[in-house]
Amino acid sequence: MRYPPLPADLFTSNRQRLKAMLPPRSLVILHANDVMPANADGTLGFVQNSDLYHLSGVDQEETILMLCPDAPDPKQREMIFVRETNEQVALWEGEKLTQEQAAERSGIQRVSWLQDFETAFRQLMCYADQVFLNSNEHPRATSPVETRETRFTRRVRREYPLHDLRRLAPLMHRLRSEKHPAEIAALREAARITGDGFRRVCRFVKPGAHEFEVEAELAHEFLRQRARGFAYTPIIAAGANACVLHYITNHQECKDGDLLLLDVAANFANYNADLTRTIPVNGRFTPRQRQVYDAVLRVFRAACSMLRPGVILREYQDEVGRLMTTELLGLGLLDRDAVEKQDPDKPLFKKYFPHGTSHHLGVDVHDVGATWEPLRAGMVLTVEPGIYIREEGLGIRLENDILIGETENTDLMADIPIEAEEIESLMAARAR
Ligand code: GLY
Ligand code: MN
Ligand code: MN
């Protein structure tokens, strides 16, 4: 096995916390994601529904989870339905979960094959007053494709128009934003593997290397250390490519004198790290690169210390914008008079720092969270300021993953070199 599954205690505790938020006579139903078609008979790799995973630990297609905490029959209070395997499935697709394995992984005693779902669902619908159904309510989700959950919601609306249908998403957002110790351990491991990948890249990069070769080095390091793979499509951007925020073609040569922006991280056990470093291709920053680098680093350090319990992300973002404005004035990129007269709805710093500073991190890279609520201990967020100067072909971003604590924060990437001198000495040790 690539890695031991996370402990069933985690998923049991997540379900317990969800149940505590539910009114009496509630029924909660979650579905796996679809296996998405590609062309001809191809499919894209299966990606589990993050909420279903978070409540069950089951990473298999077609799974259905049903919770009815006060169901009259105690055996129906927690049920999971998995695809029945057989000789054909075993021959073509290999191992699928047995009922015993699904029980062990999820901590749910009652595991049934998928064909038993209909009967149990109809029985519980006779008891339930409100049905919590799931939907992807990430604020930046823009999917033209109807999910399994949306199809199911339409069906329930049609067949049971008198039931009170409720949104599960806000409850899941609250639940998922505070991390359990087992989740933090998985995030730490993802960060550790990511750090090893970064160090390997620092030993590898030199003028003439290609961005895709850097990607190959990272893939090798991540996979040999039992990561599931990249946490997201890696951004490996040399020179002016770093000014394209979502550059993922990774096809160009790294040139002498350029910087290389690496927004790359590993996924371990369904948990994502998220790292960005910007390094000089030839191992030494130029004075201008260093000047901009240190400005980003100062904003990064200040932002890390500002993410504390009680902080509202929108206010934090405004404050980071003010810090960034000061740095951009210092770099000669903004004009003081113009800043004094700027439209507060269109602050000038956005020309050089057009994205947000922080997002929640977990089973999803841009993890869900009730972003309008004050931050709480146990949340994990990225901190990722950047300065992108298109006219100079220069882009620098730095990003670490921060666990918010009661008394102090923990930087899960504290041991991954970030100071310019540290990067230079790491690169000086590489073979030429
Ligand atoms: N790697 C995606 C992000 O930094 O948000
Ligand atoms: Mn990132
Ligand atoms: Mn990020």
Side-chain angles (χ1 to χ4, degrees), residues 232 263 274-276 357 359 361 365-366 382-384 399 401:
Y232 46 88
D263 188 342
D274 191 359
L275 174 89
T276 308
T357 313
H359 56 82
L361 188 67
V365 178
H366 293 169
T382 65
V383 173
E384 49 182 305
E399 175 175 24
D401 305 338

Side-chain angles (χ1 to χ4, degrees), residues 220-255:
H220 190 176
E221 194 61 35
F222 290 175
L223 294 179
R224 69 184 280 278
Q225 296 218 35
R226 300 175 177 271
R228 282 167 65 96
F230 286 106
Y232 46 88
T233 310
I235 297 171
I236 301 171
N241 296 339
C243 297
V244 180
L245 298 178
H246 290 162
Y247 174 83
I248 51 169
T249 40
N250 302 345
H251 64 158
Q252 288 193 349
E253 188 181 320
C254 305
K255 302 234 170 64

Side-chain angles (χ1 to χ4, degrees), residues 16-58:
Q16 286 309 123
R17 287 167 57 216
L18 174 61
K19 286 178 202 166
M21 299 178 192
L22 298 173
R25 293 177 90 109
S26 291
L27 175 62
V28 178
I29 308 173
L30 293 101
H31 283 76
N33 282 339
D34 284 310
V35 176
M36 299 305 287
N39 290 303
D41 61 350
T43 55
L44 302 176
F46 174 63
V47 178
Q48 184 56 291
N49 179 290
S50 300
D51 295 316
L52 175 67
Y53 179 79
H54 192 259
L55 294 173
S56 71
V58 172

Side-chain angles (χ1 to χ4, degrees), residues 91-130:
L91 172 65
W92 286 89
E93 298 178 43
E95 248 177 77
K96 295 282 162 193
L97 292 177
T98 62
Q99 293 190 350
E100 293 70 29
Q101 285 168 330
E104 201 180 320
R105 198 153 295 183
S106 62
I108 297 173
Q109 298 314 311
R110 182 78 168 197
V111 181
S112 309
W113 299 129
L114 214 45
Q115 54 266 34
D116 296 329
F117 170 73
E118 283 300 317
T119 309
F121 166 61
R122 292 190 176 285
Q123 282 172 357
L124 287 174
M125 285 302 276
C126 293
Y127 172 74
D129 285 336
Q130 51 266 310

Side-chain angles (χ1 to χ4, degrees), residues 97-170:
L97 292 177
T98 62
Q99 293 190 350
E100 293 70 29
Q101 285 168 330
E104 201 180 320
R105 198 153 295 183
S106 62
I108 297 173
Q109 298 314 311
R110 182 78 168 197
V111 181
S112 309
W113 299 129
L114 214 45
Q115 54 266 34
D116 296 329
F117 170 73
E118 283 300 317
T119 309
F121 166 61
R122 292 190 176 285
Q123 282 172 357
L124 287 174
M125 285 302 276
C126 293
Y127 172 74
D129 285 336
Q130 51 266 310
V131 189
F132 284 82
L133 297 174
N134 208 13
S135 55
N136 180 359
E137 297 186 16
H138 191 285
R140 284 199 303 276
T142 52
S143 171
V145 179
E146 197 170 62
T147 62
R148 228 174 165 75
E149 293 193 312
T150 310
R151 293 200 298 278
F152 185 71
T153 300
R154 280 207 285 111
R155 177 196 155 181
V156 177
R157 260 191 205 292
R158 190 178 62 242
E159 293 182 17
Y160 295 93
L162 301 180
H163 276 69
D164 180 8
L165 300 195
R166 306 277 286 266
R167 293 158 59 215
L168 181 63

